[in-house]
Amino acid sequence: MGDVAVGARSGHDGEEHRGRPVEAADPASDSAVTSGSDSGATEDGTATEVRGGGPGDSAPAVKKQRSFWKELPILIGIALVLALLIKTFLVQAFSIPSDSMQNTLQQGDRVLVDKLTPWFGSEPERGEVVVFHDPDNWLAGEPVADPNAVQTFLSWIGLMPSATEKDLIKRVIGVGGDTVSCEGTGPLKVNGHALSESSYVYAGNTPCSQDDQGGQFTVKVPKGYIWVMGDHRQNSRDSRYNQSDKHHGMVPVDDVVGRAIVKAWPLNRWGTLPKPDTFDQAGINDKASASAALTVAPQGIALVGVVPVALWRRRKAAVERTR
């Protein structure tokens, strides 16, 4: 509206000005142009509001829009920063390198891992599928990928799964305080309760492996650690077969990257990774609670025993002083 007001002269005004000095123009016309809020009338009688400065004012400069090619590097930079932040704090993509989690996960699947909840103190729970750093050379002898520079950069910002990070993916079977055991071919037991694993253990596998390499075991999981196993029980080098390492096959909670929540690729295998119902069965926490109570019991018994003795000695001393 402003640039319209500066050049506002009707054709009728032009006829009146022809042949006479500009100073002789109708004062009312000059007033309409210089006023910033007065109303004027168009030739058809419709009232219009005229805004703008006087004849001496210049039209406001129109800001020139930056070209697309100049904005493109800025947009790419913002996208890269966002991708890096998402990978670091929210979600990261991982590629499944082996068959140890069949049929839940197939080799070549891409999963999205929730990295946000651990920042708020959330710890892995039984039944969850988690990604964790190699605790103590579990991947010794495994082939190492040799990505090119582009693949390395894209995996660094989280747009591609990392081909060089030494990470593993397994299912959490036991958490701190749990007792996990395998006898014969199974079933696998947690705190004395048998797990029904037919919904996720690889078809044809037995829940427990009969071998002398670690397939038969009874372990107590320390606080701050988890016990993990693959769903393809006869094709998974998991906690069972790493009991000779410095953590005795346990995975420190601090080494857990996050919880796998979605199978994102290929599209025909898209789906969530929920916790199986068998880990919610009644009583599965009983033994863990009992072990915690036993840890406190000696101190409680000692306190109960010491208090009467102390009172008895104080009373005895008071009697002796009165004699």
Side-chain angles (χ1 to χ4, degrees):
M1 297 292 290
D3 53 350
V4 174
V6 171
R9 298 287 182 179
S10 69
H12 179 68
D13 289 344
E15 293 295 333
E16 288 182 351
H17 292 167
R18 187 175 300 165
R20 61 173 179 166
V22 174
E23 290 78 1
D26 186 358
S29 300
D30 290 340
S31 175
V33 173
T34 57
S35 173
S37 59
D38 293 345
S39 297
T42 59
E43 291 181 350
D44 60 0
T46 305
T48 58
E49 187 177 1
V50 182
R51 298 184 181 273
D57 295 343
S58 59
V62 178
K63 187 176 181 181
K64 187 177 180 181
Q65 187 175 4
R66 185 184 287 121
S67 70
F68 170 76
W69 296 110
K70 289 182 178 179
E71 289 185 347
L72 184 60
I74 298 175
L75 296 175
I76 293 175
I78 293 173
L80 293 178
V81 170
L82 289 176
L84 184 59
L85 290 174
I86 290 172
K87 173 205 168 183
T88 304
F89 299 106
L90 299 178
V91 176
Q92 184 175 356
F94 285 86
S95 176
I96 306 304
S98 70
D99 296 329
S100 67
M101 284 296 292
Q102 284 182 317
N103 272 333
T104 304
L105 298 171
Q106 302 284 1
Q107 185 173 352
D109 283 356
R110 302 291 194 269
V111 297
L112 299 182
V113 174
D114 165 27
K115 300 178 70 174
L116 178 63
T117 50
W119 287 92
F120 295 94
S122 174
E123 294 190 356
E125 298 181 3
R126 302 184 199 95
E128 292 181 340
V129 177
V130 296
V131 171
F132 54 94
H133 300 310
D134 189 339
D136 187 28
N137 211 26
W138 287 19
L139 294 174
E142 295 291 333
V144 179
D146 185 21
N148 57 39
V150 175
Q151 291 173 325
T152 300
F153 176 72
L154 291 177
S155 59
W156 178 70
I157 62 175
L159 295 181
M160 276 187 64
S162 175
T164 58
E165 290 181 2
K166 293 186 175 182
D167 295 322
L168 300 96
I169 185 166
K170 306 290 181 187
R171 190 178 299 277
V172 179
I173 302 298
V175 297
D178 286 346
T179 297
V180 185
S181 62
C182 256
E183 295 181 7
T185 58
L188 175 65
K189 294 182 179 179
V190 177
N191 297 328
H193 292 267
L195 299 180
S196 176
E197 302 186 285
S198 58
S199 65
Y200 56 87
V201 167
Y202 185 70
N205 278 191
T206 55
C208 298
S209 301
Q210 288 183 296
D211 57 53
D212 57 358
Q213 307 299 314
Q216 303 289 290
F217 62 89
T218 297
V219 296
K220 177 71 174 292
V221 184
K223 184 179 180 181
Y225 290 83
I226 55 176
W227 178 270
V228 298
M229 296 172 68
D231 289 353
H232 196 337
R233 292 288 158 82
Q234 274 72 58
N235 189 23
S236 175
R237 186 167 181 81
D238 45 42
S239 289
R240 297 170 294 171
Y241 301 108
N242 288 283
Q243 296 184 61
S244 60
D245 73 2
K246 64 181 181 181
H247 302 300
H248 307 292
M250 313 291 174
V251 177
V253 170
D254 291 342
D255 286 344
V256 175
V257 177
R259 177 171 61 96
I261 52 176
V262 172
K263 291 179 288 186
W265 188 263
L267 292 178
N268 62 344
R269 285 183 47 76
W270 190 96
T272 58
L273 294 168
K275 183 172 70 171
D277 293 338
T278 187
F279 290 94
D280 293 325
Q281 62 179 289
I284 198 170
N285 287 311
D286 291 351
K287 203 156 189 178
S289 301
S291 65
L294 287 174
T295 304
V296 180
Q299 290 87 341
I301 294 171
L303 181 62
V304 171
V306 166
V307 170
V309 172
L311 292 175
W312 175 79
R313 293 190 62 178
R314 285 172 61 89
R315 183 175 180 180
K316 182 179 178 181
V319 170
E320 290 178 351
R321 284 197 298 268
T322 58
R323 288 180 179 175

